[in-house]
Amino acid sequence: DAMVIQNPRYQVTQFGKPVTLSCSQTLNHNVMYWYQQKSSQAPKLLFHYYDKDFNNEADTPDNFQSRRPNTSFCFLDIRSPGLGDAAMYLCATSTGRVIETQYFGPGTRLLVL
Amino acid sequence: AQTVTQSQPEMSVQEAETVTLSCTYDTSESDYYLFWYKQPPSRQMILVIRQEAYKQQNATENRFSVNFQKAAKSFSLKISDSQLGDAAMYFCAYRYLRDDKIIFGKGTRLHILP
């Protein structure tokens, strides 16, 4: 019954080696979000898609890119991971209606060596 | 800009007791929604309770209730009859009516003492 699926759950990459994190949803939601969460901190929004419209947060580094090829899938690409990019990456979805909550995936924990 | 402040980084409560987590926010808008999310250790974030700003009545979900004070911009969460499974990070969050984004507070880590 998983609704927001993130693969892999754990990802190890090397400093500077591109990495892609994946998110899929079975909810048919319009909006998909990517957050970065460091230990014991609030999730920080990186960007989100409303359908195909991409919305980047002003302080999201250029190193982070995203793709949404269809409604169900959204990818987070980190072009040249640095040590500071080690974090939990959370994907979330929502219908776009304000009253509706965001549904979060379990997250992918990224380790940069 | 809207902000959400949780002034208690950590709290502890004895099992079966009641605990209140504080949250204040700042906004110039009148139409918005407030949420409390729970993030257990190594588990995904889930919604605990939500409150529409236009509703005066405080939201309640089983053992969870809020004290929403719109004029004071305060939105506290009360957990009654605390259980071991309530141990988690709790995030207060705000969403403006015309925005896709949620603004989170820094969280309060709640420990339940057996």
Side-chain angles (χ1 to χ4, degrees):
Chain A
D1 280 46
M3 296 184 289
V4 183
I5 303 156
Q6 290 189 245
N7 285 309
R9 295 292 308 277
Y10 298 90
Q11 177 74 56
V12 181
T13 191
Q14 290 179 324
F15 183 93
K17 185 174 180 181
V19 65
T20 295
L21 308 183
S22 168
C23 177
S24 63
Q25 53 136 336
T26 59
L27 298 162
N28 204 34
H29 282 172
N30 298 102
V31 193
M32 294 187 78
Y33 306 81
W34 278 106
Y35 291 89
Q36 179 192 66
Q37 187 180 26
K38 297 193 175 179
S39 182
S40 298
Q41 293 185 22
K44 177 181 180 297
L45 182 64
L46 296 173
F47 24 59
H48 73 282
Y49 276 94
Y50 197 115
D51 293 326
K52 292 191 175 185
D53 291 335
F54 178 68
N55 299 272
N56 197 30
E57 292 301 297
D59 56 354
T60 298
D62 292 340
N63 200 24
F64 291 85
Q65 305 284 318
S66 185
R67 297 169 283 136
R68 189 179 185 186
N70 54 51
T71 300
S72 301
F73 284 87
C74 194
F75 301 98
L76 170 61
D77 300 308
I78 308 176
R79 293 192 298 186
S80 181
L83 298 179
D85 297 328
M88 177 73 86
Y89 290 88
L90 301 175
C91 175
T93 73
S94 77
T95 62
R97 293 177 58 225
V98 178
I99 184 57
E100 295 293 329
T101 184
Q102 292 185 10
Y103 292 84
F104 284 82
T108 294
R109 184 165 295 283
L110 178 67
L111 181 62
V112 181
L113 301 178
Chain B
Q2 297 93 351
T3 58
V4 177
T5 303
Q6 293 179 250
S7 58
Q8 305 149 315
E10 284 195 68
M11 293 188 72
S12 297
V13 64
Q14 209 75 36
E15 193 177 3
E17 296 294 307
T18 295
V19 64
T20 298
L21 309 184
S22 302
C23 173
T24 59
Y25 59 95
D26 190 24
T27 183
S28 57
E29 307 294 345
S30 57
D31 295 325
Y32 53 86
Y33 294 81
L34 297 164
F35 307 89
W36 278 99
Y37 283 89
K38 171 185 177 182
Q39 189 177 37
S42 302
R43 295 179 64 187
Q44 66 200 85
M45 191 164 332
I46 58 172
L47 178 70
V48 174
I49 198 165
R50 84 186 92 194
Q51 174 81 42
E52 295 94 318
Y54 66 85
K55 288 188 177 178
Q56 291 188 332
Q57 187 171 5
N58 289 323
T60 299
E61 288 285 344
N62 301 314
R63 297 182 296 107
F64 298 87
S65 61
V66 298
N67 184 4
F68 174 48
Q69 302 288 329
K70 191 172 184 179
K73 295 180 183 173
S74 170
F75 183 60
S76 60
L77 174 69
K78 185 171 85 171
I79 306 174
S80 304
D81 185 25
S82 299
Q83 300 175 0
L84 295 178
D86 295 333
M89 195 76 158
Y90 286 82
F91 292 100
C92 179
Y94 162 98
R95 180 174 179 175
Y96 171 50
L97 182 68
R98 293 181 181 77
D99 204 343
D100 298 324
K101 301 184 292 188
I102 284 179
I103 298 169
F104 287 93
K106 291 190 174 182
T108 296
R109 185 171 299 281
L110 179 65
H111 304 276
I112 309 295
L113 307 173

